[in-house]
Amino acid sequence: MVTSLVGTEKNGAAEDPSGDSRDQSPRPRRRRIRANRVGLYGLLGVAALTALFPLLWMLSGSLQTQDELLSGDSLIPSGFHWKTYVTAWTDGDLGTYLSNSVFYTLTAVLGILVVSSMAGYVLARVEFWGKGFFTFVILAVMIIPAPAMFLAQYRLLLDLGLTNSRLGYILILITSGVPMATLIMRSFFVGQPRELEESAALDGASPLRIFASIILPLARPGLAAVAVIQGLHAWNEYLMALVLFDDNSLMPIQRGLTSFNSAETPQQQVLLAATVISVVPVIVFYLLAQRNIVNGLGAGALK
Amino acid sequence: MASLTARVRDRRTLRRNITALAFLAPAIALIGVFTITPFVQAILLSFQSWDGISLETPWVGLDNYEFVFGDDEFWASMKNVAIFGVVGFFLGNALPLGMAIAVNRIRRLRTFFRTVFYLPGILSVVVVGVIFLFMFEPRSGVLNQMLDMVGLESLQQNWLGDPSFALPSVAAVFIWFHWGFGFLLFLAGLQDIPEELYEAAELDGARAWAKFRYVTWPQLAPVTTIVSLLTLLAALQIFGTVQVLTNGGPGSHTLVPTLLIYEEAFTNNRYGSAAAMSVLFGGALVVLSFLQLTIARRRADK
């Protein structure tokens, strides 16, 4: 499954659309195929434009003046009004929100990797009491949807004094990522060879040591897939951030954007510029880690 | 002698069990405290009355459920989310499948299209909401402006403010936002179909439609199941997109259960009835995914 996602480019070369030389009437057939292909590219081009247009438009709107934006006449800004970005950055307090988001995302991903790789490892490799039961529990909680839980999660954190708290938010982020990450790691460990850990165990290495110095380094591709997917999840999380935070200095960027949007009614192009700034890190990340993201999504959905 | 080796083996088994449980402990602790406990608490809270502040949470029996069943907004939100679900289920499958087939047939620019088609999927609900809020704006919004430019003023709408257009507009945004995920999975699934199957079908004289009907469709069945389940669940749990775009309005024409639960608790301070809603709606979601997974397994066994 995963490998074929990577191999996208190779496959198509096999079917050569230029036609069959034994064909009795090659010319009309070839023309029809070419017309088909033009139609195909045309269709895909329209779809690509539909996917991209809102993003390009956001960029364009963020560079327009307020008058241009309100009149709505132009798709392309008359000049590049970079000042808007400075205003957005300072008025929107984006530095605070972005660094909060980076902090939450990194700690949540790290926590998920540690917890889920340990759990996935024993579920894949070790026979122990209650293995079937724990596997079932981890599968079952994946079915519980957020709407059934977020209210009670809020109340629980309120009781624990963990609302408006970095720790509370991070614990929620980690918990929501652990079940799927554990299943991905488990299926990854199932396919790994056992010889290395067996010989290390004969040499008297402790289980934790075997895990940390032999198992984990071999699991790097699995860890990378989990990290990018969970990183995107954590960065984009909105519902719990909305419920848990009142204090602006603790908010992640998604929550900060809505509070910027509603609180002080900023000028529209400033709001658009703030949105662009919030999107840049995630788009850069996507373009850099694209292959991992695609593989991780496939692994997460099909495991 | 025999008993000695047995004892050694027992001790080893014990140690292995303890080690395994220790490795599992963090995951189980987190899930137990922050998933299972709230899940149970939500059920308990649905039989209590709580304003969000006071320490007293008196038991009120079925009062919350009675209130929810008589609440027009709750039923309106259920009806709306059912529409989102139906749209998501059909368009959220058909569109990505069609596009995956198209991309699978071309030779150049595959990576480009794959990158672009999934791009909206990495955005947050807030970003998507802000962008389309501007684009749908009735006077200066780019959608109406473009209709004006090509001489189709008659098609201009108050996309998010008109009761009959608000729900379709939000649904369109949802599809724009989510279809890339199904596309990636379908594309991967298509590439796993062995070429020989198509060659055999061709020898039997199968045309394009027959090849799709008898090779592509059955071969993709497992992927289709996953994509439809995940798209359906995402559509039914829609929240942030709606909150930013319309906040459920105009009236309650785009209200959805998750947003209603949020408002009932954090705006109206009626946590008990909000909990009853989340039990009813969340329970329906659990039953639905359970059903679909059972059907999928039965299909896979055949």
Side-chain angles (χ1 to χ4, degrees):
Chain A
M1 174 85 258
V2 171
T3 46
S4 70
L5 275 160
V6 179
T8 313
E9 292 79 6
K10 296 183 305 220
N11 233 346
E15 41 169 314
D16 180 9
S18 61
D20 183 342
S21 55
R22 282 165 301 165
D23 201 311
Q24 292 295 315
S25 52
R27 231 181 274 154
R29 172 135 189 233
R30 196 169 297 174
R31 201 172 299 155
R32 205 182 66 215
I33 285 168
R34 183 164 307 159
N36 272 344
R37 203 144 46 118
V38 169
L40 214 52
Y41 276 104
L43 176 77
L44 291 170
V46 170
L49 195 65
T50 314
L52 284 177
F53 180 78
L55 287 166
L56 295 174
W57 181 85
M58 166 178 69
L59 187 64
S60 153
S62 73
L63 292 165
Q64 295 179 16
T65 63
Q66 175 147 42
D67 290 343
E68 278 179 289
L69 198 58
L70 285 181
S71 74
D73 288 339
S74 56
L75 291 175
I76 297 160
S78 61
F80 290 94
H81 302 276
W82 291 109
K83 279 253 170 65
T84 315
Y85 277 77
V86 180
T87 317
W89 183 269
T90 48
D91 287 9
D93 206 8
L94 296 186
T96 307
Y97 297 141
L98 282 175
S99 51
N100 284 340
S101 271
V102 168
F103 176 72
Y104 295 140
T105 305
L106 288 180
T107 42
V109 167
L110 193 68
I112 290 170
L113 289 181
V114 171
V115 173
S116 68
S117 59
M118 285 169 63
Y121 171 64
V122 291
L123 289 179
R125 288 301 188 78
V126 184
E127 288 307 319
F128 61 99
W129 304 320
K131 180 176 173 175
F133 170 74
F134 288 121
T135 312
F136 170 77
V137 168
I138 289 174
L139 267 170
V141 294
M142 283 186 25
I143 284 185
I144 304 177
M149 256 185 346
F150 76 96
L151 191 61
Q153 276 178 331
Y154 164 76
R155 195 177 167 207
L156 178 72
L157 291 180
L158 195 67
D159 289 344
L160 297 173
L162 288 175
T163 52
N164 261 324
S165 133
R166 292 186 194 275
L167 178 64
Y169 187 54
I170 290 168
L171 286 172
I172 291 290
L173 287 179
I174 294 178
T175 308
S176 72
V178 160
M180 183 188 275
T182 301
L183 292 182
I184 296 178
M185 289 316 295
R186 184 185 69 150
S187 60
F188 190 86
F189 286 127
V190 165
Q192 270 189 347
R194 283 164 182 268
E195 289 79 19
L196 275 174
E197 54 181 301
E198 276 162 8
S199 65
L202 285 178
D203 290 346
S206 73
L208 199 63
R209 199 181 145 75
I210 295 175
F211 179 71
S213 56
I214 295 175
I215 304 296
L216 273 191
L218 286 173
R220 231 176 286 150
L223 293 171
V226 169
V228 290
I229 296 307
Q230 297 300 337
L232 276 179
H233 271 296
W235 184 269
N236 285 336
E237 203 287 328
Y238 175 60
L239 179 58
M240 288 315 288
L242 181 68
V243 170
L244 290 180
F245 291 117
D246 294 322
D247 183 346
N248 279 66
S249 68
L250 297 174
M251 288 176 182
I253 181 74
Q254 311 305 342
R255 177 72 179 88
L257 266 185
T258 35
S259 122
F260 182 45
N261 187 359
S262 56
E264 43 219 276
T265 47
Q267 293 179 307
Q268 305 202 323
Q269 74 278 17
V270 178
L271 180 59
L272 279 177
T275 312
V276 172
I277 294 173
S278 83
V279 162
V280 167
V282 79
I283 289 189
V284 170
F285 178 72
Y286 173 57
L287 294 178
L288 290 179
Q290 205 201 133
R291 191 142 286 178
N292 273 317
I293 290 175
V294 171
N295 291 346
L297 280 174
L302 299 169
K303 287 291 140 62
Chain B
M1 199 65 206
S3 76
L4 184 66
T5 49
R7 222 179 300 155
V8 168
R9 206 190 309 131
D10 280 355
R11 203 176 304 155
R12 241 186 240 152
T13 312
L14 182 68
R15 204 184 302 151
R16 195 180 58 217
N17 274 302
I18 291 172
T19 311
L21 290 174
F23 270 65
L24 206 56
I28 293 302
L30 282 170
I31 289 172
V33 174
F34 294 107
T35 306
I36 296 175
T37 307
F39 183 64
V40 176
Q41 273 191 339
I43 297 172
L44 296 179
L45 189 59
S46 72
F47 298 106
Q48 290 165 292
S49 166
W50 187 44
D51 58 8
I53 311 158
S54 62
L55 298 171
E56 299 281 292
T57 55
W59 290 87
V60 294
L62 290 171
D63 283 8
N64 290 323
Y65 286 95
E66 220 166 280
F67 171 82
V68 171
F69 277 115
D71 184 15
D72 291 341
E73 288 209 312
F74 178 71
W75 293 113
S77 77
M78 291 296 267
K79 195 199 83 190
N80 292 335
V81 92
I83 296 174
F84 281 126
V86 170
V87 171
F89 187 82
F90 287 104
L91 265 185
N93 264 303
L95 182 67
L97 177 59
M99 286 303 172
I101 290 174
V103 169
N104 199 38
R105 288 182 60 172
I106 61 169
R107 280 188 292 169
R108 273 177 225 159
L109 295 175
R110 279 182 174 205
T111 313
F112 167 78
F113 284 121
R114 202 183 58 192
T115 307
V116 169
F117 288 167
Y118 190 64
L119 188 59
I122 62 158
L123 305 175
S124 78
V125 290
V126 180
V127 170
V128 171
V130 168
I131 294 177
F132 281 92
L133 201 54
F134 278 95
M135 290 183 56
F136 281 140
E137 216 279 323
R139 214 168 32 83
S140 63
V142 68
L143 195 56
N144 276 350
Q145 289 286 335
M146 275 169 50
L147 287 172
D148 185 56
M149 241 184 285
V150 296
L152 292 169
E153 293 93 337
S154 55
L155 293 180
Q156 290 182 344
Q157 302 297 341
N158 184 358
W159 299 102
L160 297 173
D162 185 328
S164 48
F165 283 95
L167 192 67
S169 300
V170 177
V173 173
F174 175 83
I175 295 292
W176 178 84
F177 187 17
H178 278 278
W179 75 274
F181 177 71
F183 165 79
L184 289 181
L185 294 188
F186 277 130
L187 187 60
L190 284 173
Q191 284 161 3
D192 279 352
I193 301 177
E195 194 59 36
E196 299 86 65
L197 290 180
Y198 288 107
E199 283 160 14
E202 229 159 273
L203 284 180
D204 290 344
R207 300 237 181 155
W209 169 249
K211 277 194 260 179
F212 175 78
R213 173 71 187 79
Y214 296 105
V215 180
T216 312
W217 183 250
Q219 289 285 315
L220 279 183
V223 185
T224 314
T225 310
I226 292 295
V227 172
S228 48
L229 177 64
L230 292 179
T231 322
L232 180 66
L233 286 180
L236 294 178
Q237 291 182 49
I238 188 169
F239 166 73
T241 326
V242 176
Q243 198 217 15
V244 179
L245 279 174
T246 61
N247 202 20
S252 49
H253 281 93
T254 57
L255 190 64
V256 286
T258 315
L259 181 59
L260 183 62
I261 294 167
Y262 172 78
E263 302 245 301
E264 188 72 3
F266 295 95
T267 310
N268 302 335
N269 294 322
R270 290 192 295 248
Y271 288 77
S273 47
M277 287 175 189
S278 75
V279 168
L280 289 171
F281 179 59
L285 289 182
V286 170
V287 170
L288 201 65
S289 29
F290 191 75
L291 268 182
Q292 200 162 359
L293 285 176
T294 314
I295 293 169
R297 188 155 307 160
R298 192 165 303 162
R299 230 164 77 175
D301 285 346
K302 262 182 197 166

